[in-house]
Amino acid sequence: MKNFTSVNDISNPETLVQEALELKKNLYGFGDLGKNKTLGLVFLNPSLRTRMSSQKAGINLGMQVQVINAGQDAWNWEFAENAVMDGSTVEHIKDAAKVLSEYCDVIGLRCFPGLKDRDEDYSEFVLNSFIKYATVPVISLESATRHPLQSFADLITIRENWTQPQKPKVVLSWAPHIKALPQAVGNSFAEWMNAADVDFCIANPDGYDLSKDFTADAKVYHNQEEALKNADFVYVKNWSSYDDYGAMPEVKGNWLLGEEFLKTNPETKFMHCLPVRRNLEMSDAVLDSSNSLIYQQANNRTLSAQLIIKKILENSF
């Protein structure tokens, strides 16, 4: 494993989950693996869980960790090839990526889509530009179309909370929001669930279907109630339109899961990647219930990052 940007970079997600659960029993047992090596974390966007969990993961492996907020701690980057840099950008991505590679043994990069140009966003222009010029392994800490470490942590969380012999029913359910959000979390979760041993489906309003490149053959319901029948896990997340890219088509009906759903579905577990807008995306009653797995998911972000970094260190050096 050189770079890690999606579930496609691993051979078997279920095997990887079992490795993660073994690692969780001994998080501090590989403190010499990263000795005298540096993990660089580059953020083009705000972060809480990704920043803290990735730093902790590197430290647990004995690495030195350096964090850069691009555009704040560093110069504004230029991504266009053959650009005449007479505007606001000061350093080209080819120089920044190569220089960071001189300082770091592994680099994590977090970037968001612009939600203006679908072709550009879905080509992963920013992430792939960085990977093109970096000379060390690169880990996606979220990109325009995916959030792989989050999805890996989500699958770990599902496996920790499911002991039945049959496949769990996992539903990705769209939620309301006040602004247009990327499809990255939804895309990535769908990809990982399709690759995992679960019964997976998606619930979203008309106009909010995700790209088939990510949902594949997963059944998509435009009726939330129908989709959620007998659900073992409900993963709640907002995203903007893919077809009418970045738009927020009008939604009819109530897509907020509240106390009534909790009462009638006492065994269902609820998930969200955080941050969450309470009582807009999910109600307090659901988020604060014993059925909520949101903090366990957050905790497992360290585990997902640590195992991926560990495997890169083991295979690349």
Side-chain angles (χ1 to χ4, degrees):
M1 183 188 297
K2 178 171 175 56
N3 301 317
F4 177 76
T5 63
S6 78
V7 71
N8 301 318
D9 292 320
I10 61 174
S11 57
N12 187 317
E14 296 289 0
T15 300
L16 199 68
V17 167
Q18 293 309 310
E19 290 185 53
L21 294 176
E22 284 301 309
L23 178 62
K24 197 169 190 177
K25 299 174 184 177
N26 188 23
L27 273 178
Y28 308 107
F30 299 89
D32 291 333
L33 185 62
K35 185 177 180 180
N36 298 326
K37 291 183 171 64
T38 299
L39 172 65
L41 302 175
V42 182
F43 292 89
L44 279 70
N45 307 95
S47 173
L48 190 160
R49 279 148 295 278
T50 299
R51 182 184 300 260
M52 296 294 292
S53 62
S54 301
Q55 284 183 270
K56 185 174 181 180
I59 292 169
N60 286 352
L61 293 169
M63 302 183 79
Q64 301 176 58
V65 182
Q66 298 188 13
V67 180
I68 289 290
N69 298 300
Q72 299 176 39
D73 301 334
W75 303 110
N76 288 332
W77 290 346
E78 176 63 60
F79 289 89
E81 295 290 344
N82 303 313
V84 177
M85 293 173 54
D86 58 357
S88 61
T89 56
V90 179
E91 185 163 23
H92 200 280
I93 186 63
K94 66 172 65 176
D95 300 318
K98 288 178 179 178
V99 167
L100 285 167
S101 299
E102 295 293 322
Y103 302 143
C104 304
D105 299 287
V106 181
I107 299 173
L109 178 71
R110 178 181 173 96
C111 56
F112 288 172
L115 287 181
K116 302 295 183 184
D117 185 330
R118 188 175 76 181
D119 290 341
E120 180 174 291
D121 287 344
Y122 272 69
S123 72
E124 290 289 7
F125 176 69
V126 173
L127 177 62
N128 286 333
S129 294
F130 192 91
I131 289 174
K132 177 180 178 181
Y133 294 112
T135 57
V136 299
V138 175
I139 297 172
S140 171
L141 305 179
E142 189 172 5
S143 68
T145 66
R146 294 178 172 98
H147 200 347
L149 289 178
Q150 177 67 58
S151 302
F152 181 24
D154 297 334
L155 182 55
I156 294 169
T157 306
I158 289 171
R159 286 292 168 235
E160 287 182 312
N161 288 275
W162 188 251
T163 58
Q164 305 302 315
Q166 71 271 24
K167 295 180 181 181
K169 180 178 178 180
V170 181
V171 183
L172 171 63
S173 184
W174 181 92
H177 209 281
I178 63 169
K179 64 179 183 179
L181 295 185
Q183 298 99 34
V185 172
N187 285 344
S188 193
F189 187 73
E191 247 185 354
W192 281 75
M193 292 303 107
N194 283 330
D197 191 23
V198 303
D199 178 11
F200 176 62
C201 67
I202 303 169
N204 59 255
D206 288 320
Y208 286 90
D209 287 0
L210 295 167
S211 167
K212 290 290 286 184
D213 290 341
F214 296 91
T215 62
D217 295 327
K219 185 170 179 58
V220 178
Y221 294 86
H222 294 150
N223 181 306
Q224 187 186 43
E225 183 178 354
E226 184 180 0
L228 295 183
K229 288 179 181 177
N230 302 314
D232 297 300
F233 297 88
V234 179
Y235 196 104
V236 176
K237 186 69 179 81
N238 173 268
W239 59 84
S240 58
S241 176
Y242 170 78
D243 290 328
D244 186 7
Y245 192 60
M248 299 173 66
E250 181 182 357
V251 175
K252 297 179 180 179
N254 178 23
W255 283 72
L256 174 68
L257 294 182
E259 190 170 6
E260 191 59 37
F261 184 86
L262 191 63
K263 289 178 179 178
T264 56
N265 297 270
E267 302 300 321
T268 302
K269 303 294 186 182
F270 300 95
M271 305 175 71
H272 192 288
C273 61
L274 302 179
V276 61
R277 290 187 180 248
R278 285 174 171 262
N279 303 308
L280 177 63
E281 293 179 83
M282 295 177 75
S283 68
D284 283 338
V286 172
L287 287 165
D288 297 331
S289 72
S290 60
N291 295 45
S292 174
L293 303 178
I294 58 174
Y295 302 126
Q296 188 176 348
Q297 289 173 261
N299 181 51
N300 281 335
R301 288 295 307 278
T302 298
L303 184 58
S304 65
Q306 187 168 331
L307 182 59
I308 294 301
I309 298 167
K310 176 177 177 287
K311 294 186 78 67
I312 287 176
L313 291 174
E314 290 171 338
N315 294 327
S316 299
F317 296 94

